[in-house]
Amino acid sequence: MRIAYLLNYSLDKEDGVIRKVKTQIREWNKQNEVQLFCLFSDVKNPPVPAKQYPCDNFLEKKIRLNKEFIDDLEKFSPDVIYMRYTYWNITLGYIQKKYKNIIELNTLDNEEFLLNFTKQKSVKNLIKLILNYCFRGIVLTRASGFVGVTNEIITDKSIMKFKKKNIVIQNPFDLSTCSFRKEIVKSQRLALFFIGSPNQDWHGVDIIELI
């Protein structure tokens, strides 16, 4: 199977999102052919191989059809497009009409956009909030199915109302790529395993380490 992975995300650093994408691509490539297409990113040495299509203008991202991306996608000729949920733009609208596409849901989008605006009240965040609220229905209606990272997301009424085929697949993590900070005594059984991103105090890692 030929899988086009569409990402509307900057490749300027290897954060948790990019590490997840790398893990997914590595595993899928064992039995499929996967190509990563990254909209609106322009990084010379990205942490993961990808075709990038830079664009810095917020309005242009929305209303200009990215013909270079469309041409590359047609040459790749995917059986399916897999994408993390992103707000609507004209390029996304075009490919959703033409290709079978699966949307990965990592959050409740309306709530996240509202939270971002509440934390930082700017015109840009307000526009994003309004546009997502107005156009999310188009994006989700045109999806062939959903992959949610939690049951709470998949069963939320804002997602359930679209009546799409869905499955819950938690975020993957390759244990072979990391080292343990504490040694486990052989006579003891590991009772707790924590995965999180750095510099996020609400995780309570300082408390977990004392357990």
Side-chain angles (χ1 to χ4, degrees):
M1 179 181 290
R2 298 169 69 86
I3 304 172
Y5 199 135
L6 177 60
L7 190 64
N8 184 358
Y9 196 82
S10 177
L11 299 178
D12 59 343
K13 61 181 179 180
E14 187 171 341
D15 57 11
V17 171
I18 299 304
R19 283 193 291 271
K20 175 181 179 179
V21 171
K22 288 176 67 175
T23 299
Q24 289 174 313
I25 293 175
R26 183 175 64 249
E27 293 302 315
W28 294 348
N29 265 328
K30 292 178 180 179
Q31 297 184 359
N32 306 278
E33 182 180 356
V34 185
Q35 173 66 59
L36 178 61
F37 299 87
C38 193
L39 291 178
F40 317 134
S41 178
D42 186 17
V43 179
K44 290 184 178 180
N45 297 301
V48 58
K51 289 184 176 294
Q52 301 180 74
Y53 308 90
C55 180
D56 295 325
N57 186 287
F58 178 76
L59 184 60
E60 188 177 343
K61 290 178 181 180
K62 291 288 185 185
I63 64 175
R64 184 180 72 86
L65 186 67
N66 194 315
K67 294 183 179 179
E68 182 184 359
F69 164 62
I70 297 299
D71 289 343
D72 286 345
L73 192 62
E74 290 179 349
K75 290 177 183 177
F76 183 66
S77 186
D79 296 299
V80 64
I81 295 176
Y82 185 91
M83 69 182 85
R84 294 173 63 91
Y85 174 79
T86 184
Y87 42 78
W88 178 90
N89 58 68
I90 195 167
T91 301
L92 179 62
Y94 176 86
I95 65 171
Q96 280 194 294
K97 287 182 178 179
K98 189 171 183 178
Y99 299 96
K100 180 179 180 180
N101 61 97
I102 307 298
I103 296 181
E104 178 182 297
L105 304 172
N106 289 274
T107 184
L108 295 174
D109 53 287
N110 275 336
E111 293 186 15
E112 180 171 325
F113 277 98
L114 179 59
L115 177 62
N116 289 338
F117 175 69
T118 302
K119 291 172 62 177
Q120 185 177 355
K121 294 183 178 179
S122 65
V123 174
K124 184 176 181 179
N125 281 344
L126 178 59
I127 293 174
K128 285 183 176 181
L129 173 64
I130 294 173
L131 288 178
N132 184 71
Y133 183 80
C134 293
F135 290 101
R136 71 185 297 269
I138 298 176
V139 176
L140 297 176
T141 297
R142 291 178 178 173
S144 305
F146 300 146
V147 174
V149 298
T150 68
N151 286 311
E152 289 79 5
I153 292 174
I154 285 296
T155 58
D156 190 87
K157 62 182 181 179
S158 67
I159 302 299
M160 290 283 289
K161 68 180 183 179
F162 293 99
K163 299 179 181 179
K164 298 292 182 178
K165 293 181 179 179
N166 63 76
I167 189 172
V168 175
I169 303 177
Q170 291 80 10
N171 287 331
F173 192 83
D174 188 352
L175 295 179
S176 65
T177 63
C178 66
S179 58
F180 291 96
R181 295 185 62 180
K182 291 184 178 181
E183 292 294 330
I184 305 300
V185 179
K186 291 184 178 180
S187 61
Q188 296 179 340
R189 186 174 70 89
L190 181 63
L192 176 67
F193 186 84
F194 177 81
I195 301 175
S197 300
N199 304 317
Q200 296 186 359
D201 297 338
W202 57 85
H203 280 159
V205 179
D206 54 329
I207 299 174
I208 294 175
E209 282 197 310
L210 296 176
I211 298 177

